[in-house]
Amino acid sequence: GPTPVSALIHAATMVTAGVYMVVRCHPLFEQSPSALTWVAWIGILTALFAATMALVQKDFKRILAYSTISQLGYMFLAAGAGAYAAGMFHLTTHAFFKALLFLCAGSVIHALAGEQDIFRMGGLRKKMPWTFATFLVGVLALSGVPPLSGFFSKDEILYNDFARGAVIPWLIGIITAALTAFYSFRLFFVAFFGKSRLDKKVEKQVHESSWVMLVPMLILALLAALSGVLGLPGFLRLGNAIDEFLHPVFANSLVVPPAEEGAAIEGGLMGLSILVVAVGFFAAYWIYIRNWGLAARMTKGAQWLYDLVYNKYYVDEGYMEAIVKPLRALADLLNTVIEERTIDAAVNGLARLLGLAGDGLRRLQSGLVRHY
């Protein structure tokens, strides 16, 4: 789709509607002892599942799209843990930095005459400095680098899960955070650093986008960098602004808030989050900056695994074989046997019968005396 549309639906309007629905309908989910648990587990497994797929994609926008799926998993993890405000907080910050990333993608694609394969880019930071700078802000926010917005919202989700005793979902969330940093900086390094791998004709025409495109990116970069303060305790002496704002909605929630873990534990969890982001960053730097070609060699060593992940675990193909084709076969059967040969045949047969009867009776009223 057009990049501004991608920025809109991936950031704020369409894909996040499910998160809003679950959070808004929390009284219904809380009536079941297992419903929220299912929501949390589906959320965190989705986050991990989509993050692994983003690791190997080559299409600029497709990497960001799988990133959106992964971040939605974090939001559902928060909703399933009863940390509704944390989920909405991440939804808000994600809207800023993901819209920014998609608009930056559009800027790059526009400058490269429609090219979207990141391995046919390279060295764009010198040719597109404003897009490079704003994209860096978006990548840092998505990866959860402090003090940008993504760090505060994602860290609050992970902290709430740990404090509620959901250690395994928390651990999966930490692993996913490392993968997020890796695929984000992989995209950043491959597209903007290294030698140019552009087509020679395209390379001559590469240019920075106009201010019509850059101004929205700069505004979103500012929001992506600073919106984390909404979740800072003590912000303007109002406490957590998101929690305060949403408190009337969740005042009657049946989910018991987690006990205070203490500053030491909270600081330790925060430090661990920063550490895994650093691991993802240095892994991407080592593979795609210091040792270009290492990724290709690693791929050849486990080609089956690469093909499995690159093809999205063949989910689409499995869905086609297990659901779409059987349903189409059933529809064809119902259409030919039930619809045409049974229902239509009965209706048409009745019509023909009445037609024959009419032809017979018509002879009694021909109007010709000799027939009488």
Side-chain angles (χ1 to χ4, degrees):
T3 304
V5 177
S6 298
L8 182 65
I9 64 175
H10 279 268
T13 56
M14 186 180 74
V15 297
T16 52
V19 180
Y20 176 82
M21 187 203 72
V22 173
V23 171
R24 198 64 166 156
C25 298
H26 70 276
L28 299 178
F29 284 85
E30 290 176 1
Q31 299 305 312
S32 167
S34 60
L36 286 177
T37 303
W38 275 99
V39 170
W41 273 104
I42 291 174
I44 194 57
L45 292 177
T46 299
L48 178 63
F49 186 66
T52 58
M53 291 190 286
L55 293 175
V56 297
Q57 297 300 320
K58 299 177 181 179
D59 186 284
F60 204 123
K61 289 174 67 178
R62 184 168 293 190
I63 296 170
L64 298 178
Y66 286 126
S67 167
T68 298
I69 299 173
S70 183
Q71 297 306 305
L72 286 171
Y74 274 110
M75 299 174 205
F76 279 109
L77 171 64
Y84 308 117
M88 294 303 295
F89 181 28
H90 194 55
L91 187 153
T92 304
T93 59
H94 174 263
F96 295 136
F97 59 72
K98 188 53 63 69
L100 168 63
L101 290 169
F102 267 106
L103 290 184
C104 289
S107 177
V108 171
I109 294 167
H110 169 72
L112 272 55
E115 180 60 66
Q116 294 188 207
D117 187 341
I118 62 173
F119 287 95
R120 299 185 65 180
M121 299 181 186
L124 294 179
R125 73 182 190 279
K126 297 178 181 178
K127 300 178 183 295
M128 306 181 70
W130 286 101
T131 300
F132 165 77
T134 52
F135 191 77
L136 175 59
V137 173
V139 166
L140 293 173
L142 171 61
S143 301
V145 175
L148 282 81
S149 59
F151 168 75
F152 294 105
S153 56
K154 187 157 59 178
D155 190 68
E156 185 175 346
I157 292 173
L158 294 174
Y159 170 73
N160 273 277
D161 270 88
F162 185 87
R164 283 175 164 84
V167 178
I168 296 178
W170 168 82
L171 183 59
I172 298 174
I174 286 290
I175 295 171
T176 304
L179 297 179
T180 301
F182 178 82
Y183 69 68
S184 299
F185 283 104
R186 168 184 178 265
L187 169 60
F188 180 67
F189 290 143
V190 172
F192 288 94
F193 285 80
K195 296 180 180 179
S196 174
R197 299 176 297 279
L198 292 166
D199 182 89
K200 296 302 180 183
K201 293 181 180 179
V202 174
E203 189 170 9
K204 293 178 181 178
Q205 303 174 1
V206 175
H207 59 281
E208 183 60 273
S209 298
S210 67
W211 286 103
V212 174
M213 298 173 69
L214 289 177
V215 169
M217 290 157 54
L218 291 169
I219 295 172
L220 286 169
L222 186 65
L223 291 170
L226 301 179
S227 59
V229 298
L230 294 173
L232 279 177
F235 175 59
L236 296 181
R237 299 183 180 179
L238 295 175
N240 186 311
I242 293 287
D243 286 347
E244 292 287 338
F245 178 73
L246 295 177
H247 177 72
V249 181
F250 307 126
N252 297 320
S253 173
L254 301 178
V255 176
V256 179
E260 291 294 333
E261 296 291 327
I265 294 179
E266 187 172 2
L269 294 175
M270 191 177 296
L272 181 60
S273 295
I274 297 172
L275 177 62
V276 297
V277 169
V279 169
F281 166 80
F282 282 112
Y285 177 79
W286 181 259
I287 294 174
Y288 294 101
I289 296 293
R290 296 296 301 272
N291 294 279
W292 183 262
L294 177 59
R297 295 193 296 272
M298 293 170 63
T299 299
K300 290 181 181 179
Q303 189 66 44
W304 67 272
L305 180 60
Y306 175 85
D307 291 339
L308 176 68
V309 179
Y310 184 77
N311 291 289
K312 301 158 290 185
Y313 298 93
Y314 298 101
V315 169
D316 291 343
E317 290 78 3
Y319 183 81
M320 183 67 69
E321 295 294 331
I323 297 177
V324 175
K325 287 185 178 180
L327 283 177
R328 284 180 176 171
L330 177 61
D332 289 338
L333 177 67
L334 293 174
N335 180 53
T336 55
V337 176
I338 305 299
E339 179 72 17
E340 294 179 358
R341 298 179 186 176
T342 305
I343 298 175
D344 286 354
V347 173
N348 295 334
L350 181 60
R352 284 193 293 271
L353 179 62
L354 291 174
L356 292 172
D359 285 340
L361 292 172
R362 183 167 57 83
R363 298 181 187 279
L364 300 177
Q365 295 291 338
S366 66
L368 299 175
V369 176
R370 65 176 179 273
H371 285 171
Y372 297 164

